[in-house]
Amino acid sequence: MRPWVELYRQHQVLRVMNDREAANEVRQVLRKLSEKPYAVLRRDAQARLVEGRVPQSPSVQYTLGRERAGEELELATLPPPLHDAVALRSARLAVLLRFDRRAERLQELNIMLSGQRHDNSPWAVAIHLPHDRQTAERPQGDRDGLGACGHAALHCHVGPTLEVAPKVRVPFPALRPAQIVEWAVSQVVPTAEFEPAPWSGVEAMLRPS
């Protein structure tokens, strides 16, 4: 049980962050993803991460596009070597980050890529961190499911859709929102151009100084 308790603690520590700093980190990733020659988002995607107030709440949220619609990846315009590595015909990136600004706390995270394979079958990957607020309707807060193993607080769904059984929830490491966006896109475009931590760079950083 101890490793799962420690993972839950890490997820709680992860929540402590300034919303403006976290949003700017995500914008830096979106900017890179919209720059040629390997752009998978429309130009200036960082400007479309919009801030808004949550009605009847002190919370602030950031979404990619208004109404949480997300943004289509421009997979068809990738250069041929990259395009050949993509197993999807279409994909849409959605981002929702909700914060308690005063407490500097990440309340909720939802980053999702959904689309269709070349045979038109559906595919989706989604990383969720549920709202941690404890209410009469949700006294457990972010402790969903049966436990911290089967339903870790920060977890990832992968499947044809999020509703197809078995609903697999993969425990996710305590990464900040920007790194989660990087990871999600790297799964759709699995090429060196979209790998934020290539092994050559990792090996260099691991060498004794």
Side-chain angles (χ1 to χ4, degrees), residues 72 88-92 112-117 120-125 160:
E72 196 79 17
L88 298 183
R89 183 169 59 83
S90 64
R92 191 171 194 85
M112 181 172 177
L113 265 167
S114 57
Q116 290 184 316
R117 297 183 176 92
N120 291 328
S121 61
W123 180 88
V125 59

Side-chain angles (χ1 to χ4, degrees), residues 162-196:
L162 305 189
E163 302 304 321
V164 173
K167 296 182 181 180
V168 177
R169 298 175 180 89
V170 181
F172 213 76
L175 294 173
R176 289 174 67 86
Q179 282 66 61
I180 294 176
V181 173
E182 286 182 324
W183 176 83
V185 174
S186 78
Q187 303 307 295
V188 174
V189 193
T191 68
E193 292 78 7
F194 291 87
E195 172 53 61

Side-chain angles (χ1 to χ4, degrees), residues 8 12 24 34 55 58 92 129 131 135-136 141 145 154 175 188 201 203 208:
Y8 182 69
Q12 294 305 296
N24 284 336
S34 64
R92 191 171 194 85
L129 180 67
H131 205 299
T135 64
L154 181 61
L175 294 173
V188 174
E203 290 173 359

Side-chain angles (χ1 to χ4, degrees), residues 29-35 38-41 93 181 185 194:
V29 174
L30 296 175
R31 182 189 300 114
K32 184 176 180 181
L33 293 173
S34 64
E35 290 177 346
Y38 305 117
V40 289
L41 291 173
L93 173 66
V181 173
V185 174
F194 291 87

Side-chain angles (χ1 to χ4, degrees), residues 144-164:
D144 289 332
L146 298 176
C149 171
H151 204 134
L154 181 61
H155 59 272
C156 172
H157 299 264
V158 181
T161 73
L162 305 189
E163 302 304 321
V164 173

Side-chain angles (χ1 to χ4, degrees), residues 107-150:
Q107 295 176 311
E108 183 180 358
L109 175 149
N110 190 336
I111 295 171
M112 181 172 177
L113 265 167
S114 57
Q116 290 184 316
R117 297 183 176 92
H118 293 294
D119 62 2
N120 291 328
S121 61
W123 180 88
V125 59
I127 304 90
H128 292 158
L129 180 67
H131 205 299
D132 63 343
R133 182 178 57 209
Q134 294 177 317
T135 64
E137 294 77 19
R138 288 180 53 83
Q140 78 278 14
D142 63 0
R143 299 174 186 178
D144 289 332
L146 298 176
C149 171

